[in-house]
Amino acid sequence: MASAQKFQGLAPTPPMGWNSWNTFGTHIDEKLIHETADALVSSGMQAAGYNYIVIDDGWEADARNDRGDIVPDPKRFPGGMKALGEYLHSKGFKFGIHNCAGAKTCAGFPGGRGHEFQDARTYASWGVDYLKYDWCEHGTANAEETYKTMRDGLYAAGRPMVFSICEWGNNKPWLWGQDVGHLWRTTGDITDCYDCQDIYAMGWKYILKGQVGLEKYAGPDHWNDPDMLEVGNGKLSPAESRAHFSLWCIVAAPLIAGNDVRAMTAEVHDILTRKEVIAVDQDPLGKQGYQFMEHPAKEIWVRELSGGGWAVCFFNTSDSKTQMRVHWPYLSFLNGTYEIRDLWQGKNLGNTATDFVADIPTHDVILLKLSPVKKGTP
Ligand code: GLA
């Protein structure tokens, strides 16, 4: 039925891009979005795959216009959203926007409740390619029904848009999201720390724990979303940033950068643009990885890749250096001998016929790609 489906094929691999929220909150305007687009191009981020620019909460005027249309704040977005979309498209980006399934957005701007079909038409008329739809002020609404209403609105408006369900995992969207959107948040908000947590936000390590077991729900066009990246926002060590990025790639997370890309250090840039690491996230097999082993000081996370390969991530969760010793047959999913490539070092390390031994600094990872060389027991 034309009114009861999502647009297919828009996210064969997890979406990549940039979102304004983690760094700028509601302090956003047209100039920031233009400068960010330009910086994504000149820094090579766009070429590395970051192609959605998503304007998060705070772009709206305080009230709808007299026809009930949602409108941008005239001071901060004086050129209007259609022109902004045209600018982004002219630079080769896709245009993303945020609003909310409830009566108001989390920052108190007009939400979409009761205006779903109207707003979908508005977004389509602006050339929007991606809608992140939040869950504040939802009252007694049922999540699945509410998100389906917006899905139908988008479909009826006729412009293919990635639909990003942002209801924080409250109603287990992995159980119903596949027919509704292309990705769904599995968690409350990420914040810029390693393992902290309070009722509003948590560090990436804390979020990662909550991803265990969700791998079976994800695949092409329907991804688990453990929230955006905090790489480059100042509080993570280089090791923690690398680990965050690596593990987001293992769990096939959307890679949505959340830093000020106009002012990136070389180190942050290097993490965010590492081709071989991004290739793990974007692997065409589209199978989310999983936690293979957990130990008080270390974890092993693995992801099956196309071509019979595996990504293997050794993660030192302890507060000091640890030694990782791996007898490869212990990784029971392997079948035969594999060549080993260290993706952060960009170096080949022999094969799995011999045990692997390496030190891992605190909160760091070793990310390997194993490629099959021959069948049989290693
Ligand atoms: C919620 C979402 C965040 C962000 C803010 C904006 O908290 O989970 O990602 O969009 O709203 O207010």
Side-chain angles (χ1 to χ4, degrees), residues 19 21-22 25-26 56-58 98-99 105-108 132 134-136 166-168 185 187-190 200 227-228:
N19 174 300
W21 184 253
N22 283 356
T26 56
D56 209 288
D57 207 349
H98 164 281
N99 194 247
T105 71
C106 301
K132 171 179 170 184
D134 220 327
W135 190 231
C136 275
C166 179
E167 65 78 78
W168 320 317
R185 280 271 294 274
T187 165
D189 289 10
I190 198 167
Y200 296 111
D227 208 358
M228 304 175 285

Side-chain angles (χ1 to χ4, degrees), residues 121-139:
R121 283 195 300 275
T122 302
Y123 300 143
S125 77
W126 292 345
V128 170
D129 305 296
Y130 181 115
L131 176 66
K132 171 179 170 184
Y133 218 43
D134 220 327
W135 190 231
C136 275
E137 301 269 346
H138 59 267

